[in-house]
């Protein structure tokens, strides 16, 4: 008969005296993380390799500190790299819809921006002074007067010749007119009418001749005006060049080493001269203060932005790395499409949306260019088109700023198309394993763009060195969070809790967040006790408080069992009935739940009906476990005759979904009991899965399952016969509560490890299972013999039913 486990096997403790320090203040606070060597190696490889496509996906469970570790590793490498250049957008004067991108040495982007702002102010002043100057006004007036004088001279000459013919050139409000004169006076129409016809015709002929000459003179007026305007335009350009050249040469001298900037400044010079008329019109409008306002008004361009003529000469510093040390490390908390690739903003002006190159905004890719970009994968994938936008940038090695609608071809508006920025960035995605494997399975671009997988461990091996790593990590947490130090007993309790978190005494959890929360709360309870140091008691208080906050549902389950609302027997025996154990999970809090499992058998064709599956309450893993039972029964008891029973299995009072195969051994025990008509002890609960050979396999949540049945038995009254049957392979996972260990030590509660179904059924029935003899039979008085006999009888009955007009005895005699 299997013996119960000794109390020392139910919980592994950490000896505080063996840790070698009094409090965490005695330790160096330089270990923010524990474990993750594999992930760190992968990160270093992915960060250092310069080839395209070797971006990193850091995958692992949340709470392990993966993002912080990524940032720490990336920052360490970034500090050794050179600082990338600045990036600026400037106006493309030849094609304003495609702003020009300029790459400048680190820090010189801001310098150029400030220099251009000062240049604009200086140009405003210089142009105003130039076009208000007496020299300019004199020269402009001279051009205008020259054109006027030419016209007047032609008119005077015509008037003189007409006078010689006794015809006067008269200026009227409606223009010029010719009229005959006599003795210096204009002849009236009545007097002209008195002239004979010949003289009237001669007079009319002369007037028409002079009228034609006048028309020729007047036709030359627009030509003279055009010539004058050209002369004035040339004068304006000469004056503008005079005003701008000195300023521009001074500015250009500062950037002689940057050919792109020199070319841009020359383009600025040409554009100012080309648009000088706007400044001239403003200068002619009045005083200096009026000129400033007029120049602002005159400089409204087609885009509608205030001061657009001056805005066209500004520099939009997209990325300024002047304060960056080494390569930039950017963490994008909101990785939507615009925040990644940038955008062209728009301003509402006079009922329309307008923009220019000054409204181009950078994205995270611009800011991280030449360095590293860290993104949470889940946040990225939940943003529309963000994943596709990131892939496109990485595939093309450039950042193209455009709206998602334009990128998808859904909309097309006349707007800016900034020159694409060359991209040199290392991207690190941080996310759960599920996301990584889904992307790898369904997105063929993953293997080309994210070649490096940095897999963070859930746990580490429990060794002496690991315990000291843990202690240093706790010291670091205390230092970072400004908490009370932990004494050795508190650290030992945290280590014990870490084993419980992973359900394995040979492992320690790497869930940094859970440990940080525990230390923070333990420090709080120490403060409530006015203690300067956190002790084991305070850590236990924190654990108890965490459980108390989360165990409302568990309490309701226990209450229902105590009030017989949920039927669970902890004494006596019953045929075809066993206590199975399951685990429920609620918002990170796991607890066990006893379940009554029953089985009924009858004559049939070997079918085992899983009622949970039939009602669609059972999951595929549970259904698999039930099917394994058929394999076990057929392999052990149906070698010489067919399995001639039908059976039904059910979790009583189960109204929700059930999945997993951890109850398959309990279902098998109930089934064997029902077949053999042997009662099972209700004082024992069972957990463990079974294979077709009857070997009991390990399961999860063993601690929660044992503790919950212990609580049930304690509420009903411990008798000394109660306990739980678990797989032998789960023994090293036991980290039971101290009160359960104490009960086991006192002999009031027992934990039985079993390797096979035979060991388990012997414990539940109190009878030996029985070993098959060479002739294929089992000894009398064993469970297997009772099962074999019942199944043989069922087979005979089935043959009898199948034989026409025969009985069971007759059917047997024919064999």
């Amino acid at each position: 008969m299997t013996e119960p486990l000794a109390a020392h096997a139910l919980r592994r403790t950490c000896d505080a005296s063996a840790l070698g320090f009094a409090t965490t203040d005695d330790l160096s606070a330089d270990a923010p993380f524990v474990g993750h060597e594999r992930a760190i190696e992968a990160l270093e490889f992915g960060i250092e390799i310069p080839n395209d496509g070797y971006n990193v996906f850091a995958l692992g469970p949340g709470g392990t500190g993966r993002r912080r570790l990524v940032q720490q590793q990336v920052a360490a490498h970034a500090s050794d790299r050179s600082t990338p250049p600045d990036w600026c957008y400037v106006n493309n004067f030849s094609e304003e819809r495609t702003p020009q991108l300029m790459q400048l040495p680190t820090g010189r982007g801001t310098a150029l921006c400030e220099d251009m702002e000062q240049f604009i102010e200086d140009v405003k002043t210089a142009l105003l002074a130039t076009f208000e100057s007496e020299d300019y006004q004199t020269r402009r007036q001279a051009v205008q007067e020259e054109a006027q004088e030419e016209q007047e001279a032609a008119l005077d000459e015509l008037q003189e010749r007409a006078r010689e013919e006794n015809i006067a050139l008269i200026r009227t409000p409606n223009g010029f007119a010719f009229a005959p004169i006599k003795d210096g006076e204009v002849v009236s129409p009545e007097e002209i009418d008195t002239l004979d016809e010949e003289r009237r015709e001669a007079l009319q002929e002369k007037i028409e001749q002079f009228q034609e000459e006048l028309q020729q003179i007047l036709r030359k007026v627009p030509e003279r005006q055009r010539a004058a305007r050209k002369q004035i335009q040339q004068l304006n350009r000469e004056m503008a060049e005079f005003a701008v050249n000195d300023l521009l040469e001074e500015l250009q001298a500062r950037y002689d080493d940057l050919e792109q900037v020199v070319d841009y400044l020359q383009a600025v010079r040409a554009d100012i001269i080309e648009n000088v008329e706007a400044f001239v019109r403003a200068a002619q409008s009045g005083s200096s203060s009026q000129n400033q306002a007029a120049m602002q008004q005159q400089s409204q361009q087609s885009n509608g932005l205030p001061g657009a003529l001056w805005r066209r000469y500004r520099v939009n510093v997209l990325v300024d790395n002047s304060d960056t040390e080494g390569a930039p490390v950017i963490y994008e908390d909101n990785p939507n499409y615009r925040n990644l690739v940038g955008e062209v903003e728009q301003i509402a002006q006079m009922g329309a949306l307008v923009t220019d190159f000054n409204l181009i905004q950078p994205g995270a890719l611009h800011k991280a260019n030449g360095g590293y970009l860290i993104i949470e994968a889940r946040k990225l994938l939940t943003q529309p088109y963000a994943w596709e936008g990131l892939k496109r940038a990485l595939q093309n090695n450039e950042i193209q700023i455009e709206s998602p609608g334009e990128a998808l071809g859904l909309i097309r508006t006349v707007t800016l198309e900034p020159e694409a920025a060359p991209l040199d960035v290392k991207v690190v995605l941080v996310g759960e394993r599920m996301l990584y494997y889904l992307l790898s399975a369904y997105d063929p671009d993953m293997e080309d763009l994210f070649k490096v997988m940095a897999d963070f461990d859930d746990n580490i091996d429990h060794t002496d060195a690991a315990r000291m790593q843990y202690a240093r990590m706790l010291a670091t947490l205390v230092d970072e969070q400004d908490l009370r130090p932990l004494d050795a007993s508190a650290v030992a309790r945290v280590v014990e809790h870490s084993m419980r978190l992973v359900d394995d005494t040979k492992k320690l959890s790497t869930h940094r967040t859970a440990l940080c929360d525990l230390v923070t709360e333990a420090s709080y309870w120490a403060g409530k006790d006015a203690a300067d140091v956190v002790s084991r008691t305070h850590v236990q208080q924190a654990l108890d408080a965490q459980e108390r906050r989360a165990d409302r549902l568990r309490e309701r389950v226990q209450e229902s069992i105590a009030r017989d609302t949920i039927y669970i027997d902890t004494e006596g025996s019953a045929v075809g009935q066993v206590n199975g154990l399951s685990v429920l999970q609620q918002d990170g809090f796991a607890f066990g739940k006893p379940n009554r499992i029953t089985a009924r058998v009858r004559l049939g064709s070997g079918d085992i009906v899983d009622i949970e599956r039939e009602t669609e309450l059972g999951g595929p893993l549970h259904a698999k476990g039930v099917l394994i039972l058929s394999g076990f029964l057929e392999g052990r008891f149906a070698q010489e005759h067919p399995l001639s029973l039908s059976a039904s299995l059910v979790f009583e009072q189960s109204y929700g979904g059930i999945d997993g195969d951890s109850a398959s051994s309990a279902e098998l025990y109930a089934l064997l009991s029902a077949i053999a008509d042997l009662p099972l002890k209700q004082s024992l609960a069972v957990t463990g899965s079974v294979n077709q050979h009857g070997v009991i396999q390990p399961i999860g949540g063993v601690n929660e399952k044992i503790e919950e049945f212990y609580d049930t038995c304690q509420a009903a009254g411990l008798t000394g016969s109660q306990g739980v049957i678990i797989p032998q392979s789960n023994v090293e996972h036991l980290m039971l509560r101290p009160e359960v260990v104490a009960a086991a030590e006192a002999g009031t509660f027992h934990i039985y490890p079993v390797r096979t179904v035979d060991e388990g059924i012997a414990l539940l029935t109190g009878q030996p299972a029985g070993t098959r003899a060479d002739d294929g039979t089992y000894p009398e008085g064993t469970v297997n013999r009772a099962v074999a006999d019942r199944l043989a009888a069922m087979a005979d009955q089935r043959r009898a039913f199948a034989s026409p007009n025969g009985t069971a005895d007759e059917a047997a005699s024919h064999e």
Side-chain angles (χ1 to χ4, degrees):
M1 187 73 68
T2 303
E3 295 295 324
L5 290 170
H8 66 80
L10 303 182
R11 179 182 181 87
R12 180 176 178 179
T13 59
C14 179
D15 185 2
S17 62
L19 293 177
F21 60 87
T23 71
T24 52
D25 283 345
D26 301 332
L27 303 174
S28 57
D30 58 355
F33 304 98
V34 61
H36 306 309
E37 287 79 8
R38 179 188 294 103
I40 292 173
E41 291 173 6
L43 278 173
E44 290 179 347
F45 169 74
I47 291 169
E48 292 178 358
I49 188 169
N51 304 70
D52 290 344
Y54 284 86
N55 298 293
V56 181
F57 197 116
L59 61 149
T64 56
R66 60 195 180 188
R67 194 190 88 189
R68 181 176 172 182
L69 180 55
V70 165
Q71 289 177 307
Q72 177 180 294
Q73 292 294 314
V74 169
H77 286 80
S79 61
D80 297 331
R81 291 186 55 183
S82 59
T83 303
D86 294 344
W87 294 94
C88 306
Y89 271 111
V90 295
N91 190 26
N92 183 350
F93 299 104
S94 60
E95 180 53 65
E96 296 194 6
R97 288 189 60 241
T98 58
Q100 177 184 355
L101 182 70
M102 287 204 303
Q103 175 182 325
L104 300 176
T106 306
R108 300 191 70 179
T110 301
L112 177 61
C113 178
E114 293 173 352
D115 286 342
M116 287 303 297
E117 292 290 344
Q118 185 60 49
F119 171 75
I120 290 171
E121 294 303 318
D122 292 343
V123 166
K124 287 181 182 179
T125 303
L127 289 176
L128 286 171
T130 298
F131 291 110
E132 286 181 340
S133 67
E134 184 178 348
D135 179 50
Y136 171 75
Q137 297 296 337
T138 300
R139 294 178 63 182
R140 180 186 179 94
Q141 187 175 354
V143 172
Q144 293 173 336
E145 288 178 352
E146 181 180 353
Q148 186 67 27
E149 287 174 358
E150 285 185 17
Q151 179 177 331
E152 292 296 330
L155 290 173
D156 290 345
E157 190 270 337
L158 178 61
Q159 185 177 17
E160 185 65 28
R161 287 193 293 108
R163 188 180 295 276
E164 292 175 356
E165 297 289 339
N166 293 319
I167 295 174
L169 176 62
I170 302 172
R171 298 174 186 264
T172 69
N174 295 325
F176 294 95
F178 289 95
I181 57 176
K182 182 178 181 181
D183 298 330
E185 298 293 333
V186 176
V187 177
S188 65
E190 293 79 5
E191 188 175 352
I192 294 176
D193 291 339
T194 62
L195 298 176
D196 56 52
E197 183 177 353
E198 183 178 351
R199 291 181 63 185
R200 281 201 313 271
E201 290 178 357
L203 181 60
Q204 184 64 34
E205 185 178 347
K206 288 180 181 181
I207 289 175
E208 290 177 355
Q209 181 179 353
F210 286 120
Q211 188 72 38
E212 184 178 348
E213 291 184 24
L214 175 62
Q215 291 300 321
Q216 292 177 355
I217 293 172
L218 293 178
R219 279 195 292 267
K220 292 182 178 180
V221 170
E223 183 179 342
R224 292 190 184 96
Q225 290 177 341
R226 285 194 298 271
R229 280 198 301 270
K230 288 183 179 179
Q231 290 180 12
I232 291 174
Q233 288 175 353
Q234 183 61 33
L235 173 62
N236 290 342
R237 294 187 178 187
E238 290 177 3
M239 299 302 288
E241 288 184 9
F242 174 77
V244 171
N245 279 351
D246 289 343
L247 296 173
L248 205 58
E249 287 175 4
E250 179 183 351
L251 179 58
Q252 186 173 317
R254 302 177 197 171
Y255 298 94
D256 278 343
D257 57 326
L258 300 176
E259 182 180 353
Q260 194 175 17
V261 176
V262 172
D263 292 342
Y264 167 68
L265 293 177
Q266 290 300 319
V268 169
R269 173 185 177 277
D271 191 75
I272 291 176
I273 295 172
E274 182 69 24
N275 292 280
V276 70
E277 294 298 324
F279 305 112
V280 175
R281 288 193 295 271
Q284 292 174 341
S285 65
S287 64
S288 297
S289 61
Q290 293 173 334
N291 289 346
Q292 291 282 2
M295 291 177 75
Q296 291 290 341
Q297 182 178 2
Q298 290 288 345
S299 62
Q300 303 298 315
Q301 297 298 306
S302 59
N303 62 14
L305 290 170
L309 187 58
W310 296 118
R311 288 173 62 90
R312 62 196 283 112
Y313 305 125
R314 296 175 61 185
V315 173
N316 180 6
V317 182
L318 200 68
V319 179
D320 176 17
N321 286 313
S322 57
D323 295 329
T324 304
E325 296 181 3
V329 179
I330 303 298
Y331 170 71
E332 179 52 57
D333 183 59
N334 183 21
N336 59 45
Y337 179 80
R338 287 186 172 90
N339 287 349
L340 284 176
V341 303
E343 65 176 325
V344 179
E345 293 182 336
Q346 296 175 323
I347 295 177
Q349 187 75 23
M350 303 296 290
L353 294 176
V354 295
T355 189
D356 70 1
F357 74 94
N358 290 285
L359 296 177
I360 299 174
Q361 299 298 320
L365 287 169
H366 293 97
K367 299 172 185 176
N369 206 358
Y372 307 90
L373 176 60
I374 303 171
I375 306 173
E376 293 278 358
R378 182 176 293 276
K379 293 181 179 179
L380 176 70
L381 294 171
T382 54
Q383 294 291 342
Y385 198 63
W387 171 242
E388 293 299 324
L390 176 64
K391 289 197 302 178
R392 180 184 177 192
L394 294 176
Q395 288 167 337
N396 298 332
N397 289 323
E398 66 177 22
I399 313 168
Q400 182 66 60
I401 300 178
E402 58 185 349
S403 70
E406 291 172 327
L408 292 170
L410 300 178
I411 60 173
R412 186 64 182 172
T413 57
V414 178
T415 185
L416 299 184
E417 296 180 1
E419 181 182 350
L423 180 63
D424 175 22
V425 70
K426 185 74 70 173
V427 177
V428 182
L429 291 183
V430 181
E432 295 83 359
R433 293 190 177 99
M434 178 190 69
L435 294 179
Y436 174 79
Y437 292 123
L438 285 174
L439 287 172
S440 297
Y442 294 106
D443 192 334
D445 295 327
M446 270 291 289
E447 63 180 14
D448 295 326
L449 298 178
F450 290 88
K451 297 178 181 292
V452 182
M453 175 182 69
D455 197 352
F456 283 73
D457 291 318
D458 304 83
N459 52 64
I460 59 172
D461 292 336
H462 185 176
T463 63
D464 293 341
R467 282 197 299 271
M468 288 309 300
Q469 270 188 292
Y470 240 66
R472 288 196 297 274
M473 182 184 69
L474 296 177
T476 305
L477 291 176
V478 167
D479 184 66
E480 290 176 349
Q481 304 295 325
D482 194 22
L483 305 174
R484 293 172 178 82
L486 280 67
D487 66 16
S489 68
V491 172
R493 184 65 187 91
V494 173
V495 170
E496 292 171 1
H497 178 64
S498 178
M499 290 186 279
R500 172 62 182 255
L501 285 177
V502 293
D503 281 335
D504 195 338
T505 59
K506 295 184 178 180
K507 297 288 183 178
L508 293 175
S509 172
T510 60
H511 200 289
R512 188 177 186 275
T513 299
L515 297 174
C516 183
D517 292 344
L518 177 58
V519 172
T520 301
E521 294 172 27
S523 179
Y524 164 79
W525 290 111
K528 296 282 283 186
D529 285 349
D532 295 329
V533 178
V534 177
S535 68
R536 183 184 186 91
T537 302
H538 301 131
V539 176
Q540 189 60 50
Q541 280 183 283
L543 289 171
D544 293 342
Q546 287 179 350
E547 182 176 340
R548 172 65 177 166
R549 293 194 296 268
D551 72 345
R552 181 190 62 83
L553 183 58
R554 185 186 67 83
E555 283 189 356
R556 295 296 178 269
V557 171
Q558 283 295 326
E559 180 183 345
S560 297
I561 294 173
R563 297 175 60 182
D564 287 335
T565 305
I566 296 177
Y567 296 144
I568 298 294
D569 293 332
T570 59
E571 296 184 70
S573 60
V575 174
Q577 176 178 303
V578 68
N579 291 322
L581 298 172
S582 61
V583 171
L584 300 180
Q585 189 90 14
Q586 181 187 28
D587 194 25
F589 176 69
F591 61 94
K593 179 181 179 295
N595 297 275
R596 174 178 289 181
I597 300 174
T598 60
R600 298 296 299 272
V601 298
R602 56 200 173 277
L603 193 65
S605 58
D607 298 325
I608 297 179
V609 177
D610 177 12
I611 295 178
E612 308 297 333
R613 183 65 172 175
E614 294 298 319
T615 57
E616 298 184 353
L617 290 177
L621 295 180
H622 179 261
K624 174 186 175 183
V626 173
L627 292 175
I628 288 174
L629 305 187
S630 297
F632 171 81
L633 292 176
E634 291 170 352
R636 175 170 289 191
F637 300 109
Q639 297 296 316
E640 298 179 358
H641 51 72
L643 200 61
S644 302
L645 88 163
S646 289
S648 60
L649 291 166
V650 67
F651 276 66
E652 303 288 357
Q653 294 182 285
S654 171
Y655 307 107
I658 294 176
D659 202 4
D661 63 349
S662 65
S664 59
S665 65
E667 291 172 313
L668 180 56
Y669 295 141
L671 187 58
L672 293 175
S673 169
I675 295 171
D677 197 26
L678 291 173
L680 301 178
K681 297 176 182 178
Q682 301 302 296
S683 58
L684 296 177
V686 178
T687 185
S689 67
V690 65
N691 65 20
Q692 294 187 104
H693 298 284
V695 177
I696 303 299
Q697 302 170 137
I699 43 79
V702 64
N703 293 297
E704 290 82 2
K705 293 175 179 179
I706 293 173
E707 290 168 355
E708 197 65 19
F709 192 67
Y710 168 80
D711 291 340
T712 301
C713 293
Q714 186 184 45
L718 294 174
T719 63
S721 63
Q722 294 146 335
V724 178
I725 299 174
I726 67 170
Q728 173 68 42
S729 49
N730 276 125
V731 172
E732 62 183 17
H733 302 151
L734 294 177
M735 278 297 295
L736 296 173
R737 298 198 312 252
E739 57 266 35
V740 181
V741 177
E745 191 170 11
T748 58
F749 195 78
H750 309 284
I751 312 299
Y752 297 96
V754 297
R755 292 182 175 84
T756 65
V757 169
D758 289 340
E759 293 179 10
I761 197 67
L763 284 169
L764 287 165
T765 60
Q767 295 186 19
T771 302
R772 185 192 296 269
D774 292 339
D775 61 357
T777 63
Y778 292 95
E780 290 285 347
T782 63
V783 176
N784 285 330
R785 177 60 179 266
V787 172
D789 289 348
R790 177 72 185 280
L791 291 176
M794 285 182 167
D796 291 342
Q797 286 181 292
R798 185 180 178 189
R799 279 194 294 269
F801 280 116
S803 176
N805 303 319
T807 66
D809 292 337
E810 292 172 342
S813 66
H814 290 304
E815 295 181 353

